Amino acid sequence: MTVGYGTTFRAYEIATGQPWLGPLPGFCIDEPGDLNAITATDFPWLSLAPHSDHDIPTAYFETVGTVVEMVHADPQWRTWWSRSEQRDLSIEIEYTSQPERNIVTLRRGTAWASFRRNGSRFRGLNKGGLAALAAADIQEILILVSTSLSLPTPPQVPRPVHAAPPTRKHEAARLRLEELRQRHRTRP
């Protein structure tokens, strides 16, 4: 197994807090000509942590991850984020029954964005609707981050081909179903 020295000792020191003492037996170290060959584009500037009190639908969860990966790799988005004074953007989305909220804070070169969204928004949506909702949520979140950090308007979030926004008829039926569920919960 071959391991790059610069990457190895940095990862070890960051992970353990201890100085690098050398490779373990069986590892061969390749000395790169320039330890600065690792560029800023090799490291993530955008991370996402979605979590919920209940299950997040698979189609939504996978689409959120895919969209964030596409945004992270897009040079247009990297240019947008380079206008920020922060090194990283860490987004946490909690899907719960509690009231929605948006908080963006700055700490140690990282913008921390915490969002709470109502978990009932997943009800009644098919895979295409869930994918469309995921892309729309990421767009909304990045616009809120942009506003909070006084950044220019962000580019359009890429939408996966299977993301199909619900029709008016479908949305009306979903809202009616939610209204009926709320009524049923409030009855003794």
Side-chain angles (χ1 to χ4, degrees), residues 48-65 92-96 117-123 130 133-134 137:
L48 175 72
H51 56 92
S52 176
D53 296 343
H54 305 286
D55 289 337
I56 297 173
T58 303
Y60 182 93
F61 187 83
E62 289 175 352
T63 302
V64 165
E92 172 202 20
I93 309 171
E94 177 184 13
Y95 302 96
T96 182
R117 296 292 181 259
N118 195 314
S120 67
R121 60 207 329 244
F122 302 134
R123 289 188 186 143
L130 289 166
L133 178 63
D137 283 354

Side-chain angles (χ1 to χ4, degrees), residues 98-102 116-118 121 140:
Q98 297 177 6
E100 294 192 1
R101 67 158 166 70
N102 309 315
R116 186 183 298 146
R117 296 292 181 259
N118 195 314
R121 60 207 329 244
E140 176 191 352

Side-chain angles (χ1 to χ4, degrees), residues 39-188:
T39 64
T41 59
D42 293 333
F43 297 101
W45 62 271
L46 174 62
S47 62
L48 175 72
H51 56 92
S52 176
D53 296 343
H54 305 286
D55 289 337
I56 297 173
T58 303
Y60 182 93
F61 187 83
E62 289 175 352
T63 302
V64 165
T66 301
V67 169
V68 167
E69 288 174 11
M70 291 165 65
V71 165
H72 182 267
D74 188 336
Q76 188 178 19
W77 278 94
R78 285 184 180 274
T79 300
W80 170 79
W81 184 248
S82 70
R83 294 183 179 126
S84 168
E85 296 176 2
Q86 306 306 309
R87 184 182 61 243
D88 307 313
L89 173 57
S90 181
I91 299 172
E92 172 202 20
I93 309 171
E94 177 184 13
Y95 302 96
T96 182
S97 58
Q98 297 177 6
E100 294 192 1
R101 67 158 166 70
N102 309 315
I103 300 172
V104 179
T105 58
L106 307 174
R107 290 189 309 246
R108 298 185 207 142
T110 299
W112 297 88
S114 178
F115 300 92
R116 186 183 298 146
R117 296 292 181 259
N118 195 314
S120 67
R121 60 207 329 244
F122 302 134
R123 289 188 186 143
L125 294 177
N126 61 16
K127 288 182 180 182
L130 289 166
L133 178 63
D137 283 354
I138 296 299
Q139 181 74 48
E140 176 191 352
I141 285 168
L142 290 170
I143 288 171
L144 290 167
V145 167
S146 181
T147 303
S148 296
L149 300 179
S150 300
L151 293 172
T153 303
Q156 187 66 32
V157 166
R159 290 191 184 267
V161 292
H162 65 285
T167 64
R168 284 186 180 185
K169 181 179 175 184
H170 182 261
E171 186 62 19
R174 189 179 77 77
L175 291 173
R176 178 71 178 138
L177 179 61
E178 185 59 30
E179 177 186 330
L180 291 172
R181 284 182 176 145
Q182 290 297 327
R183 280 187 194 173
H184 180 70
R185 284 185 203 147
T186 58
R187 289 186 181 165

Side-chain angles (χ1 to χ4, degrees), residues 9-20:
F9 85 83
R10 285 188 193 133
Y12 178 84
E13 289 176 353
I14 290 169
T16 66
Q18 302 294 320
W20 171 255

